[in-house]
Amino acid sequence: MTNSRIKATLFDGRDLFYFDDERSALPKTRTADQREPGERPQTAQLRFDPLTREWITVASHRQQRVFLPPAHSCPLCPTTQTNLSELPDNFDVAVFENKGPAFGPATGDIDYPGNPFGFATTSFGRCEVVVFSPEHQGSLGNMPVERVETVIGAWMDRTKELMAIDGVIQVFPFENRGEEIGVTLHHPHGQIYSYPFVTPRTQLLLESVKAHGKSFFDDLIAFESSSERVVLESEHFIAFVPFAARWPIEVHALPKRNIQDLSELTPSEQKDLAVFYKRLLQGIDRVYPTPTPYISAWHQAPKIENRDWIRLMLQITSPRRGEDKLKYLAGSEAAMGAFVGDVAPEVTAQRLREVI
Ligand SMILES: [Zn+2]
């Protein structure tokens, strides 16, 4: 079930959506953006890497982003007389198009290179920001279950609409949490990237699934669910530390039913996921006395043939390997893509089970 949604437009033509909690007391109409009309930046460039056959976005306008602004000038707090922010009115959860996106605002199909050297095209697609709360401080894991449900409802709504855009191949909702991960705004928020191609990570997954067969995800769940790495199970979802975890903290979660993305959740699955996801995030924050930086990534099936072979999958990872120690991607990982794990996945799972 998607929560009630109000659509608005920002000063430069970008879309803004308000998603209210089920029992929200907020009005059904909202104040318009008071800023002077403006122009949107040019769409970034997409360059083809002939070595890996991957796409690299060159978005130099992103260098000018605001960096960790205080609450009185935060672009994600509701607008005040002295701070005309990106949110013209109060909200529970709000989603708007990114001001300086890595993909879009132009949309369409990308070209593919004949000659792999020096090939560039337009970085079509769309990037959105999902603001979890009007409060400047806080974290999604500590918000009421009802709010987490609204955030999931927003992801569901956006996944469905973004997948319908011409040229969008894959939709990726995610949250970077913590300065250590490179967050430039403290205000609790996530993002949604809509790519004009299948991402490299998903490309590899597709090959693994193809090699194993259609039963890949059922077999994966059967394998992991009978292991000592399970950390949480609900009626509709199961979470575990994967057999070959790369990060000091790494949790994967799958729906038991074969669905391809968040837009396919039933109302009871959405409610179940809200409780389940909140417990996972809270647990990760309880591993150490202070909040843990993490990346929470919703892997969703791209627009491809045999799309139903790919299941929705959540992957939460953190580079934190001690109270004040982070794992950095050094030679083997960054240069070769060959990970060396510092903690046995079974040990991570046991630690997480104690705090979830
Ligand atoms: Zn703020």
Side-chain angles (χ1 to χ4, degrees):
M1 178 197 69
T2 47
N3 301 62
S4 75
R5 183 184 101 164
I6 301 165
K7 189 174 179 202
T9 306
L10 293 174
F11 75 103
D12 51 4
R14 284 175 291 146
D15 286 335
L16 161 68
F17 305 93
Y18 295 101
F19 293 90
D20 296 338
D21 290 343
E22 211 174 327
R23 288 185 293 267
S24 180
L26 289 170
K28 293 290 161 224
T29 55
R30 305 289 158 86
T31 311
D33 197 343
Q34 299 163 48
R35 294 173 289 182
E36 292 294 318
E39 302 264 304
R40 300 196 59 183
Q42 268 202 325
T43 301
Q45 194 186 48
L46 203 55
R47 294 189 178 192
F48 190 74
D49 176 2
L51 301 177
T52 59
R53 307 190 64 77
E54 290 172 6
W55 293 103
I56 311 295
T57 301
V58 181
S60 39
H61 56 259
R62 284 163 56 85
Q63 286 293 2
Q64 281 97 49
R65 282 179 299 173
V66 285
F67 184 73
L68 300 176
H72 65 80
S73 60
C74 174
L76 306 186
C77 278
T79 285
T80 61
Q81 291 295 328
T82 51
N83 178 30
L84 296 177
S85 75
E86 296 281 46
L87 289 314
D89 206 336
N90 202 4
F91 59 93
D92 291 327
V93 171
V95 179
F96 63 88
E97 284 184 81
N98 199 310
K99 200 171 183 178
F103 298 91
T107 56
D109 295 316
I110 56 168
D111 299 323
Y112 277 81
N115 176 357
F117 301 106
F119 187 83
T121 184
T122 313
S123 197
F124 290 129
R126 178 150 157 156
C127 293
E128 296 186 340
V129 178
V130 184
V131 192
F132 300 150
S133 157
E135 304 293 331
H136 187 69
Q137 304 286 344
S139 64
L140 187 55
N142 287 334
M143 291 176 201
V145 169
E146 188 188 15
R147 173 59 51 79
V148 181
E149 209 180 305
T150 309
V151 170
I152 295 169
W155 288 333
M156 292 166 67
D157 175 280
R158 300 315 306 140
T159 295
K160 190 166 185 201
E161 272 197 14
L162 293 166
M163 280 295 272
I165 294 176
D166 265 353
V168 167
I169 303 294
Q170 191 172 12
V171 173
F172 174 46
F174 65 102
E175 180 191 3
N176 297 333
R177 212 284 297 272
E179 278 175 58
E180 298 89 341
I181 300 285
V183 165
T184 53
L185 297 169
H186 280 305
H187 196 118
H189 74 287
Q191 301 182 67
I192 304 175
Y193 274 24
S194 304
Y195 301 101
F197 52 78
V198 177
T199 58
R201 212 37 210 226
T202 304
Q203 198 70 55
L204 285 174
L205 175 67
L206 289 176
E207 284 163 29
S208 306
V209 172
K210 234 182 258 171
H212 180 85
K214 197 179 174 177
S215 65
F216 181 91
F217 281 99
D218 283 328
D219 295 345
L220 176 67
I221 289 179
F223 166 68
E224 292 289 5
S225 65
S226 59
S227 79
E228 51 181 317
R229 292 178 303 277
V230 174
V231 295
L232 185 65
E233 188 170 353
S234 69
E235 189 186 348
H236 299 293
F237 293 87
I238 184 157
F240 51 88
V241 177
F243 177 70
R246 287 166 165 72
W247 297 94
I249 298 175
E250 178 163 351
V251 176
H252 293 185
L254 285 161
K256 293 176 184 173
R257 188 167 71 90
N258 181 28
I259 55 172
Q260 279 57 63
D261 62 40
L262 289 161
S263 75
E264 294 166 49
L265 292 173
T266 63
S268 74
E269 285 169 338
Q270 183 188 356
K271 279 199 185 301
D272 183 57
L273 180 59
V275 176
F276 180 87
Y277 188 50
K278 179 179 159 73
R279 280 187 67 186
L280 282 183
L281 295 184
Q282 276 187 316
I284 284 167
D285 267 352
R286 286 195 199 114
V287 174
Y288 296 105
T290 54
T292 288
Y294 64 75
I295 296 170
S296 177
W298 293 96
H299 294 237
Q300 308 200 94
K303 264 185 219 163
I304 47 160
E305 245 180 79
N306 298 326
R307 183 170 188 265
D308 61 336
W309 287 34
I310 302 296
R311 191 174 300 197
L312 169 69
M313 185 178 206
L314 169 68
Q315 296 189 3
I316 307 176
T317 56
S318 172
R320 196 174 194 182
R321 62 185 179 87
E323 203 178 323
D324 47 15
K325 288 195 199 85
L326 292 180
K327 175 183 177 65
Y328 287 99
L329 295 192
S332 189
E333 292 88 358
M336 289 290 120
F339 268 72
V340 180
D342 304 300
V343 191
E346 291 73 20
V347 173
T348 308
Q350 192 186 351
R351 180 77 191 104
L352 283 169
R353 273 196 305 271
E354 287 164 8
V355 289
I356 282 174

